[in-house]
Amino acid sequence: MDNDRINQIIEKHQCEASSLIQVMLEIQSIYHWLPKEALELVSDKLKVPLTRIQHIATFYKAFSLVPKGRHGIHICMGTACHVRGAGRILDSVQDLTGIKPGETDLDMKFSLETVNCLGCCALGPVMEINGKTHGKMAPAKTADVLKNYD
Amino acid sequence: MSDIILTIDGKEVSAGEGSTILEAARSVGIKIPTLCNHEKLEPYGGCRICTVEAEGRGGTQLVAACLYPVEKNLVVRTRSVKVDRIRKMILELLLAHAPDSMEMQDLMKEYGADRNRFEKEASFCIHCGLCVRYCAEVKKANAVGFIDRGTRREISFIPEIASSECWNCKECFPLCPTSALQAAYVLTEALNSLTHPFRHGPEE
């Protein structure tokens, strides 16, 4: 972990306690998770108790207290995707990656999450990887999509 | 401070501006049950067991007595069929988490609550927040806090802080209505016995 980089983020927000979530979001976007050392530094500089930071970090799904893989897979489980077979997409991705929703594989390659709607129901079933949307998925097509990421 | 006259259970009560229904009721000896209230802490309104009926401004509302400020001509009923029914329900829901909580046994009898009404989900914590708020507001140690949200919310100690602060304090222990706090403390201590050994003994 790079202390200077975290200090830069904190200074950008003038050590304001009210910028706590912004600071946490920036750390999250750099490391894809919130390392404990980083949070201790934030707590120290922003004068916010660690209990409060821990509460916020566990409250919002955008934050993670465990390391995440290089590629984040989000599979939509919303109503439209569900009726179009999102469950089978999830099954096939689970088989291919060997991980369940909420988990990260040992190579730190993929992290799998389910989400409740990605807002493009006409494309269902939808799978999103690193923010890129893969619409009209089929269990047989998932392997082709996943092999583009390493 | 000007005094406000209101009616609680048919009794005229005068209370200072900004005080709550709970304080006004206690000043004349009317009992309102509470679980998350503590004189040294800011009102929290977490347990809702102090729910009362407040009539004023043209309608009757159900409000938390520990938070609701007194108003002129407010008519408060601390016991009514509706209030009792709500308190019974709240108790039954809390008892599903902590069926043997000592503090809730008397309330359980008084309101006829059935602790077996809901399926047991013994997490023991009823989220009154007494330990969390006491640690933050009175001791300023912030060793214990809430994590997660909704049905998964629970209390959690920060091992680094707890290992140095808690042994000589433990003032939150008697506050806990269910002993879930003590369990969380011992668990933290056991899980961190090598990385953050807890101090055992007097201050050096």
Side-chain angles (χ1 to χ4, degrees):
Chain A
M1 206 197 67
D2 187 356
N3 271 357
D4 292 341
R5 207 155 170 200
I6 308 240
N7 277 322
Q8 261 173 28
I9 296 170
I10 293 168
E11 270 155 38
K12 203 171 97 189
H13 292 277
Q14 289 102 36
C15 295
E16 278 289 333
S18 57
S19 306
L20 174 65
I21 290 183
Q22 284 307 319
V23 171
M24 287 165 73
L25 279 170
E26 283 187 37
I27 297 169
Q28 170 82 33
S29 72
I30 293 170
Y31 296 99
H32 301 292
W33 70 296
L34 300 170
K36 189 164 191 179
E37 295 76 27
L39 294 184
E40 280 166 356
L41 196 62
V42 171
S43 164
D44 190 42
K45 286 277 165 68
L46 264 54
K47 308 260 180 306
V48 180
L50 209 52
T51 44
R52 190 164 177 74
I53 296 182
Q54 192 178 251
H55 190 186
I56 293 168
T58 51
F59 188 94
Y60 294 105
K61 260 196 134 179
F63 298 121
S64 170
L65 292 174
V66 290
K68 288 280 172 187
R70 294 188 296 283
H71 309 293
I73 308 174
H74 296 267
I75 295 178
C76 183
M77 288 284 140
T79 315
C81 293
H82 173 80
V83 296
R84 290 179 183 214
R88 278 179 287 136
I89 307 287
L90 180 64
D91 287 344
S92 92
V93 173
Q94 285 188 49
D95 287 347
L96 287 165
T97 55
I99 49 172
K100 292 195 184 75
E103 295 179 349
T104 301
D105 59 14
L106 286 176
D107 308 330
M108 305 300 282
K109 190 173 167 189
F110 290 120
S111 290
L112 183 59
E113 286 302 334
T114 57
V115 291
N116 288 329
C117 188
L118 288 165
C120 45
C121 306
L123 294 176
V126 177
M127 171 163 84
E128 191 190 79
I129 304 179
N130 295 344
K132 189 178 184 306
T133 307
H134 300 270
K136 299 218 190 309
M137 283 310 298
K141 284 202 268 180
T142 51
D144 283 337
V145 176
L146 290 181
K147 95 181 163 217
N148 295 325
Y149 297 91
D150 58 16
Chain B
M1 262 207 295
S2 56
D3 275 6
I4 290 172
I5 310 285
L6 70 159
T7 316
I8 303 179
D9 288 351
K11 232 190 236 182
E12 288 227 329
V13 183
S14 76
E17 203 178 328
S19 62
T20 61
I21 293 177
L22 181 67
E23 286 160 355
R26 286 198 171 156
S27 70
V28 290
I30 296 171
K31 281 205 180 77
I32 298 177
T34 57
L35 286 172
C36 71
N37 194 265
H38 190 277
E39 54 186 5
K40 284 187 187 166
L41 304 175
E42 288 287 308
Y44 184 60
C47 68
R48 312 312 274 194
I49 206 82
C50 66
T51 297
V52 293
E53 268 187 280
E55 196 179 328
R57 288 200 226 142
T60 307
Q61 285 176 287
L62 288 159
V63 299
C66 67
L67 284 174
Y68 202 84
V70 289
E71 276 169 17
K72 203 172 165 231
N73 299 331
L74 197 69
V75 179
V76 177
R77 282 182 292 274
T78 66
R79 290 297 291 259
S80 71
V81 177
K82 203 170 179 182
V83 166
D84 282 11
R85 200 180 65 222
I86 288 166
R87 286 189 189 151
K88 175 167 171 273
M89 172 65 96
I90 293 170
L91 274 171
E92 284 168 341
L93 289 165
L94 293 178
L95 284 163
H97 288 297
D100 294 325
S101 155
M102 288 307 286
E103 286 200 25
M104 284 197 278
Q105 298 305 306
D106 295 337
L107 288 172
M108 191 172 93
K109 284 189 199 95
E110 187 169 353
Y111 292 92
D114 173 11
R115 63 175 173 183
N116 296 315
R117 176 162 172 197
F118 296 106
E119 200 182 329
K120 296 247 167 46
E121 207 179 283
S123 61
F124 303 103
C125 184
I126 58 163
H127 305 125
C128 66
L130 283 171
C131 53
V132 173
R133 290 178 294 138
Y134 191 87
C135 199
E137 291 176 29
V138 179
K139 299 301 287 188
K140 314 254 188 260
N142 290 296
V144 63
F146 280 116
I147 54 165
D148 223 318
R149 60 177 164 171
T151 53
R152 291 187 308 274
R153 192 154 83 125
E154 53 184 293
I155 50 165
S156 169
F157 281 90
I158 306 253
E160 289 84 348
I161 301 173
S163 60
S164 60
E165 297 285 336
C166 292
W167 182 260
N168 288 313
C169 172
K170 290 185 180 168
E171 284 165 31
C172 55
F173 278 29
L175 299 179
C176 183
T178 69
S179 304
L181 170 75
Q182 287 92 320
Y185 176 79
V186 175
L187 185 69
T188 317
E189 188 181 5
L191 287 173
N192 296 282
S193 54
L194 291 176
T195 46
H196 300 287
F198 276 40
R199 185 164 59 195
H200 285 196
E203 191 114 30
E204 280 149 40

